[in-house]
Amino acid sequence: MPEVLKAPLVVEFPFTRSLGPVQSAFLTGLRERTVLGVKTTDGLVMVPPVEYDPVTADELRDLVEVEPTGTVTTWAWNPEPRRGQPLDTPFAWVLVKLDGADTGLLHALDAAGPDAVTTGMRVRVRWAAERTGAITDIACFEPYEGAAAHTEPTAHDGQFDDAVSGIVAAARLDYVYSPGRAQTAYINALADRRTVGERCPSCRKVYVPPRGACPTCGVATTDRVEVGPAGTVTTFCIVNVKAKNLDIELPYVYAHIALDGADLALHGRIAGIPYDQVRMGLRVEPVWTEGGRYPDHYRPTGEPDADYDTYKELV
Amino acid sequence: MREVAIVAFAQSDHLRTTDELSEVDMVMPVLHQVLAQTGLKTSDIGFTCSGSSDYLAGRAFSFTMTLDGVGAWPPISESHVEMDGAWAMYEAWVKLLTGEVDTALVYSYGKSSPGSVRDVLTRQLDPYYVAPLWPDSVALAALQAQALIDAGETDEPALAGIAARSRESASANSHAQVKGSVPQGDYEVQPLRKGDCPPVGDGAVAVILAAGDKARELCERPAWIRGMDHRIEAHSLGVRDLTDSPSTRLAAERAGAFERPVDTAELHAPFTSQEVVLRKALQLADDVTVNPSGGALAANPIMAAGLLRIGEAAARIHRGESDRALAHATSGPCLQQNLVAVLEGDAR
Amino acid sequence: MSSTGHATHKEPVAVVGIGQTKHVAARKDVSIAGLVREAAQRALEDAQLTWADIDAVVIGKAPDFFEGVMMPELYLADALGAVGKPMLRVHTAGSVGGSTALVASNLVASRVHRTVLTLAFEKQSESNAMWGLSLPIPFTQPLLAGAGGFFAPHVRAYMRRTGAPDHVGSLVAYKDRRNALKNPYAHLHEHGITLEKVQSSPMLWDPVRYSETCPSSDGACAMILTDRAGAARSPQPPAWMHGGAMRSEPTMFAGKDFVSPQAGKDCAADVYRQAGIADPRREIDAVEMYVPFSWYEPMWLENLGFADEGGGWKLTESGVTELDGDLPVNMSGGVLSTNPIGASGMIRFAEAALQVRGQAGEHQVDGARKVLGHAYGGGSQFFSMWLVGAQQPTS
């Protein structure tokens, strides 16, 4: 069996996240080097401030300002920072209870090594040079010698000029995609401009493209069957909207094509005929371009149209 | 409450990579095995439920293609949770309790190898305050482990002992990914060493549930579900006591786990330190056999490892190696969400 | 799918609280938590219950990639008062809003829990639905057309099979957009809509016009389901569940009927059996069905047994499905006017319940006693439906 195909798959998007009022105040505050918390109905101060009380489910809006200094409640030394993490040199992950807060804030601590970190150690915020209103406005924490400030958190109205109302959270994940055995065989055959499906050993239907299993019988398809090259347009639509990343002149016809010998239709573009003359039952054949992994399009064979009854089960 | 039992269980071998297998290739043999164990066909099954995650696959609607392996024709009564398969089983159990159906097929799978699990799981975290920092799953577990050490509840040698015991137990499990004598290795994120962490791998699992006499007909010694419950905690690590698991304790109480002792516990503790938390929350006595399969430290197919615990516990009852077992599944950072099932065999 | 004789009788399930957000293209003033919270809070207020009255939460949405948060229910537990409670997350593609409600209903029917909050949402403005739906899969031919390119060929197949005239799709769109004007929560409020405007809107994926497609919305929908005791305490009339079912068939298979999928027929038949409905056309008063492209109304009318094959478009054309017709369909304006994908199915279920409670306001159908809520998803692969009534079921 030939090696299965593999290729990188990058899933990446800059998500645009709108913020509720508490989050907006907290993140705008960070931009202004001010750390806000929120007071629960029971009088606890939560930093970072949450929108809803985890115990009572109450909506929380009562903001207070706390100190940028605090105490480590637990930590973990990260010897090999990963992409996107706050520091690119070894650092400690820490939960920090800021002075005036009753809950922990998760962030990074820049320290010389694991021996320089202890639970209970004092730390303070190191502000990022460029701040935009995001959790990364705290560059990290750093060791701090000062004792805990026993000041009561002060009420804060959460109002700042030019408050941030959203964040852009870019996220990238890298995968290595493999389509598995059946589709690898299908794709490899396409490289020779042959369309090879698989037959279900139970119901005898031929699947193109094969997906490894007959979905109605729940058994593996194995027998390879070459189908086509010609086929019948079973149904279609005329596309007047530019599809993303596709450079095809509008309008064009997107069709379901049942290749001869296949028991279900695959999808392709029809060309070589005016778009408004494409019809159900039209007989077509693939047209390949140099280096193309798939037929570029299908064009009429010139045969008479297939009778509706011959393909209506495939529509 | 209606009597419902697990009457069949199957799992794939758990492997670091399975490039040659699509998800349906991985799931289908496991489905065939549980059906063969009971002699049922897909069309005999009253309800089907599965668990998986698009984020592992890197594709939206990834579960729709896996349904091909079930053979959903004629159409079936079917549902899916974007969770570990243990919760799919919970949904199926509830469906059986309504009396609408007598049998259910439950499966789940995790193909972690295409992506980086540590990075992928960061996407579960608060998207405003936490996910932008990309704290990975090992880092979060390490914060929990340090909290336990600081509280005097464990230390690194004790954690190493849990790792060694788990992989030693896995030696008897032909499906396990990591077994036998495995060095603890270097720190991944201190205080957790490589040996404290679960392997990354691919695998699938399936069970069949049946009610009452149907269960007795399909299985010599059904694993009766005496109770099942699950609970969730606050999301933020900074508001939780990481050394405890109140949600596990509450789920266990609601599932009847404390009514009398269990002889076996299959705990979904991907990190050694989490076993410490769970043992305490579940009040497990020293004579309880914990993770005889090797647990998640021996094989941790994400989204399947919880259902795998339930299946392993049921299989021990089927084989007569246990009379009353507790199975546990977890989800979310640092044991945020926990499920407990209590299984029993009929008296022999 | 037979049931043994000793099966216990299910607990009747009642809907006592319903809440929706005002659906819009982008809710820029709330977080994801803020969005779901708003719908849930409204459902609680409707039921005059508090967070402490809720035993469990069942939440649904379409793919996690839409918001870029994996298993967002973990982060949403606090906002939904779920801490210390069971929380389940359902995902069955486009049918998920319906499936989620059904999973929640089973918790009550089985007597595992008494009062359950169920909720579905989508915040599509966090990304872009087409991005989420068309992540580039290596070796795979890129999608040759957008979402409409998937549906339009099936619409053509329907027209070929039944001889439906071209204008039927426009009639549906014109009706649904007018109905939406009577629904304060609907996304699209096209004042001054006319049939001519619909018919002169651009042809996007021939035979589907722009005005015959659904919008992309941010929104959430929540319901409180409870048992008989809970219903007895309800300050408003409850909606009673008379039947509910899910059916799935493979996405693509040899012999699949995309125009009238077997799974849809079987699902409807199961619901009617449970509800004791022999003639849906006569016994059901109104329908909230999942119509993302206008032509799916006549298609589903046939699939759901309201018309014989080829008869669906005739019902639409003759005005039967108008708000004042004999079988009103999508009184709320439907998916054509509001589409927060993961919530769209639950909105159908909730709108059906609003009708039998007599609380649909301006889009209320007089005397609606039995109403069907319908959802579907995937490649016409997953179906979920429920039938709700004004009276507690007798059996």
Side-chain angles (χ1 to χ4, degrees):
Chain A
M1 188 167 74
E3 285 267 298
V4 290
L5 293 167
K6 281 197 222 179
L9 165 62
V10 178
V11 177
E12 186 171 23
F13 200 82
F15 293 95
T16 49
R17 307 210 180 282
S18 52
L19 302 173
V22 169
Q23 297 161 317
S24 169
F26 175 64
L27 295 177
T28 308
L30 295 183
R31 190 190 67 198
E32 306 303 324
R33 301 186 186 221
T34 299
V35 186
L36 298 184
V38 72
K39 233 178 186 156
T40 70
T41 349
D42 301 334
L44 293 177
V45 173
M46 308 192 69
V47 180
V50 297
E51 299 185 271
Y52 305 100
D53 189 320
V55 177
T56 62
D58 291 339
E59 181 175 278
L60 303 178
R61 290 289 181 269
D62 196 3
L63 296 169
V64 292
E65 183 175 350
V66 299
E67 300 295 320
T69 55
T71 304
V72 170
T73 62
T74 184
W75 61 281
W77 185 256
N78 185 24
E80 287 180 58
R82 304 169 72 83
R83 184 171 71 197
Q85 295 182 343
L87 295 168
D88 54 15
T89 52
F91 66 90
W93 288 105
V94 282
L95 278 174
V96 176
K97 204 177 273 189
L98 290 171
D99 297 332
D102 295 299
T103 63
L105 169 77
L106 178 71
H107 220 294
L109 168 66
D110 189 8
D115 295 341
V117 186
T118 56
T119 296
M121 76 183 280
R122 297 282 298 156
V123 295
R124 72 174 166 205
V125 169
R126 180 190 293 165
W127 296 105
E130 301 264 329
R131 294 182 309 283
T132 59
I135 191 65
T136 45
D137 287 356
I138 296 177
C140 60
F141 284 91
E142 59 192 19
Y144 166 68
E145 296 303 322
H150 287 289
T151 51
E152 273 294 297
T154 52
H156 195 286
D157 64 6
Q159 299 299 310
F160 297 94
D161 289 340
D162 192 21
V164 294
S165 60
I167 56 173
V168 177
R172 172 181 171 141
L173 291 171
D174 286 83
Y175 299 84
V176 175
Y177 176 78
S178 169
R181 171 197 63 80
Q183 292 204 56
T184 291
Y186 171 73
I187 293 159
N188 286 339
L190 281 177
D192 300 332
R193 301 189 173 182
R194 294 184 307 121
T195 301
V196 178
E198 289 188 358
R199 188 187 297 282
C200 171
S202 175
C203 69
R204 311 297 295 161
K205 298 289 188 189
V206 173
Y207 277 84
V208 183
R211 304 200 299 273
C214 171
T216 57
C217 302
V219 298
T221 53
T222 43
D223 302 344
R224 303 229 163 104
V225 182
E226 185 165 346
V227 300
T232 301
V233 172
T234 61
T235 185
F236 64 95
C237 69
I238 302 164
V239 180
N240 289 299
V241 196
K242 256 211 157 8
K244 217 178 61 174
N245 307 328
L246 280 184
D247 190 22
I248 305 172
E249 197 181 329
L250 298 176
Y252 63 87
V253 174
Y254 168 72
H256 296 189
I257 300 156
L259 295 180
D260 297 344
D263 285 301
L264 75 174
L266 48 68
H267 301 172
R269 182 168 65 93
I270 307 295
I273 176 174
Y275 71 89
D276 54 359
Q277 289 178 27
V278 174
R279 55 210 178 259
M280 293 167 74
L282 183 70
R283 295 284 297 160
V284 294
E285 62 190 7
V287 176
W288 296 85
T289 49
E290 192 58 39
R293 204 181 262 289
Y294 290 87
D296 179 71
H297 62 272
Y298 292 78
R299 69 180 172 210
T301 61
E303 296 166 84
D305 285 2
D307 186 59
Y308 182 58
D309 285 336
T310 65
Y311 66 86
K312 71 177 183 189
E313 302 298 324
L314 302 171
V315 177
Chain B
M1 194 171 72
R2 202 176 183 208
E3 283 189 296
V4 176
I6 298 168
V7 296
F9 160 61
Q11 63 181 307
S12 67
D13 289 343
H14 304 285
L15 303 167
R16 178 62 190 91
T17 58
T18 52
D19 291 341
E20 72 288 358
L21 301 177
S22 67
E23 278 145 340
V24 69
D25 295 333
M26 194 168 78
V27 169
M28 197 163 41
V30 175
L31 298 176
H32 290 176
Q33 282 173 46
V34 284
L35 290 168
Q37 284 173 33
T38 55
L40 296 172
K41 302 186 296 294
T42 299
S43 55
D44 299 326
I45 298 286
F47 182 65
T48 301
C49 198
S50 62
S52 68
S53 166
D54 281 348
Y55 253 91
L56 281 187
R59 302 196 307 288
F61 304 113
S62 55
F63 65 93
T64 65
M65 289 300 178
T66 320
L67 189 61
D68 284 359
V70 175
W73 189 259
I76 60 172
S77 174
E78 189 258 355
S79 183
H80 171 262
V81 296
E82 192 81 352
M83 304 179 83
D84 186 286
W87 279 267
M89 187 180 122
Y90 179 84
E91 182 181 331
W93 175 66
V94 169
K95 180 85 171 175
L96 279 153
L97 292 183
T98 66
E100 284 176 36
V101 298
D102 296 332
T103 54
L105 169 66
V106 180
Y107 65 94
S108 66
Y109 58 93
K111 203 158 158 29
S112 307
S113 61
S116 162
V117 173
R118 285 174 71 172
D119 297 325
V120 167
L121 291 176
T122 64
R123 302 301 92 195
Q124 285 185 335
L125 304 167
D126 176 321
Y128 309 93
Y129 298 164
V130 185
L133 304 174
W134 295 81
D136 60 277
S137 46
V138 179
L140 299 182
L143 287 168
Q144 185 173 32
Q146 185 62 44
L148 284 163
I149 292 169
D150 288 336
E153 302 210 12
T154 193
D155 53 27
E156 289 195 40
L159 297 180
I162 291 169
R165 191 209 72 233
S166 298
R167 277 137 192 167
E168 180 54 39
S169 298
S171 298
N173 176 356
S174 64
H175 301 287
Q177 184 179 337
V178 180
K179 54 180 102 176
S181 178
V182 180
Q184 271 295 79
D186 293 335
Y187 287 120
E188 288 277 324
V189 179
Q190 188 177 334
L192 294 179
R193 296 178 182 274
K194 191 170 193 309
D196 293 308
C197 303
V200 173
D202 302 346
V205 55
V207 300
I208 289 179
L209 306 184
D213 290 341
K214 189 78 184 171
R216 294 182 186 93
E217 183 191 312
L218 295 173
C219 180
E220 202 172 316
R221 190 168 195 250
W224 299 106
I225 302 168
R226 296 303 186 207
M228 181 156 41
D229 193 274
H230 58 98
R231 302 280 152 167
I232 195 165
E233 294 179 30
H235 179 62
S236 170
L237 301 190
V239 308
R240 282 153 56 187
D241 174 0
L242 296 178
T243 68
D244 197 7
S245 183
S247 59
T248 299
R249 188 179 301 111
L250 183 55
E253 189 187 313
R254 296 300 175 103
F258 301 133
E259 287 165 16
R260 48 196 195 86
V262 297
D263 56 50
T264 304
E266 280 282 346
L267 307 180
H268 185 194
F271 298 91
T272 50
S273 43
Q274 295 179 339
E275 184 179 306
V276 176
V277 178
L278 294 170
R279 275 178 178 267
K280 181 173 77 170
L282 292 166
Q283 302 162 27
L284 294 181
D286 289 342
D287 60 352
V288 175
T289 308
V290 172
N291 287 344
S293 67
L297 290 166
N300 188 40
I302 310 267
M303 300 298 144
L307 181 58
L308 189 50
R309 302 280 71 71
I310 301 176
E312 289 281 8
R316 286 183 76 81
I317 288 172
H318 294 160
R319 293 194 298 262
E321 294 164 11
S322 167
D323 293 324
R324 180 171 160 93
L326 180 151
H328 160 267
T330 196
S331 175
C334 295
L335 306 172
Q336 188 193 347
Q337 189 176 21
N338 295 284
L339 178 147
V340 172
V342 177
L343 308 177
E344 282 184 2
D346 286 325
R348 285 166 289 171
Chain C
M1 297 177 197
S2 63
S3 188
T4 50
H6 68 267
T8 52
H9 283 293
K10 289 189 285 183
E11 175 67 25
V13 179
V15 184
V16 296
I18 295 173
Q20 290 184 58
T21 58
K22 162 74 176 101
H23 308 286
V24 295
R27 272 300 297 272
K28 292 186 176 165
D29 60 324
V30 289
S31 62
I32 300 171
L35 184 78
V36 299
R37 172 79 176 202
E38 200 171 291
Q41 191 71 53
R42 285 177 183 162
L44 284 173
E45 282 160 15
D46 184 22
Q48 289 183 25
L49 295 176
T50 68
W51 293 103
D53 296 315
I54 300 299
D55 299 326
V57 179
V58 184
I59 185 170
K61 69 175 301 298
D64 290 355
F65 284 111
F66 280 176
E67 288 84 7
V69 185
M70 178 183 183
M71 301 162 75
E73 64 279 4
L74 294 167
Y75 141 72
L76 293 172
D78 302 47
L80 293 174
V83 173
K85 296 174 187 172
M87 190 172 197
L88 267 173
R89 157 71 191 289
V90 181
H91 178 14
T92 61
S95 68
V96 65
S99 306
T100 303
L102 292 178
V103 172
S105 76
N106 280 338
L107 288 172
V108 177
S110 63
R111 299 189 177 86
V112 170
H113 294 297
R114 304 194 70 162
T115 302
V116 179
L117 167 68
T118 185
L119 182 141
F121 77 97
E122 208 73 67
K123 198 162 184 310
Q124 293 206 57
S125 64
E126 304 260 319
S127 75
N128 166 320
M130 275 320 291
W131 173 81
L133 291 171
S134 57
L135 300 177
I137 305 301
F139 315 111
T140 308
Q141 201 170 12
L143 283 181
L144 276 168
F150 177 82
F151 295 95
H154 303 313
V155 169
R156 184 179 302 276
Y158 172 75
M159 295 164 78
R160 171 69 178 78
R161 193 186 290 188
T162 63
D166 292 352
H167 67 274
V168 171
S170 299
L171 294 176
V172 175
Y174 177 50
K175 166 182 68 77
D176 285 2
R177 296 280 161 77
R178 274 180 296 140
N179 288 352
L181 291 170
K182 298 175 186 293
N183 174 6
Y185 296 105
H187 175 177
L188 297 182
H189 280 155
E190 292 189 31
H191 298 282
I193 184 82
T194 63
L195 184 58
E196 292 67 36
K197 282 185 184 170
V198 172
Q199 288 176 330
S200 62
S201 70
M203 189 64 94
L204 301 187
W205 299 279
D206 190 341
V208 173
R209 291 183 183 280
Y210 172 73
S211 289
E212 298 169 6
T213 66
C214 54
S216 197
S217 317
D218 282 1
C221 179
M223 290 191 286
I224 313 285
L225 309 184
T226 190
D227 58 7
R228 281 170 297 185
R233 289 192 296 270
S234 172
Q236 312 277 0
W240 291 95
M241 187 173 163
H242 287 220
M246 298 186 226
R247 282 295 182 285
S248 307
E249 66 181 42
T251 312
M252 290 177 281
F253 63 95
K256 180 169 177 101
D257 185 348
F258 276 101
V259 170
S260 189
Q262 188 64 40
K265 292 181 189 173
D266 291 0
C267 190
D270 191 0
V271 172
Y272 300 155
R273 178 188 58 75
Q274 294 172 37
I277 299 281
D279 181 351
R281 171 75 180 82
R282 299 286 154 229
E283 296 174 58
I284 293 174
D285 299 317
V287 189
E288 279 282 343
M289 65 170 71
Y290 201 111
V291 176
F293 292 83
S294 62
W295 277 94
Y296 275 75
E297 175 179 302
M299 289 163 71
W300 294 142
L301 283 169
E302 295 173 25
N303 189 247
L304 297 175
F306 293 105
D308 292 335
E309 184 172 311
W313 65 266
K314 292 171 188 160
L315 286 186
T316 297
E317 191 183 45
S318 65
V320 166
T321 62
E322 294 271 349
L323 189 53
D324 59 358
D326 189 46
L327 180 70
V329 172
N330 289 332
M331 301 69 75
S332 65
V335 180
L336 275 184
S337 307
T338 303
N339 189 30
I341 297 180
S344 289
M346 190 170 287
I347 297 170
R348 308 279 74 68
F349 277 45
E351 286 285 349
L354 278 178
Q355 289 287 342
V356 300
R357 297 172 83 200
Q359 292 184 327
E362 273 195 77
H363 63 285
Q364 176 69 43
V365 173
D366 283 346
R369 308 291 290 167
K370 289 184 181 176
V371 179
L372 183 70
H374 160 272
Y376 89 105
S380 296
Q381 174 182 19
F382 302 111
F383 292 82
S384 58
M385 304 174 200
W386 80 1
L387 189 101
V388 284
Q391 297 293 326
Q392 184 180 329
T394 46
S395 58

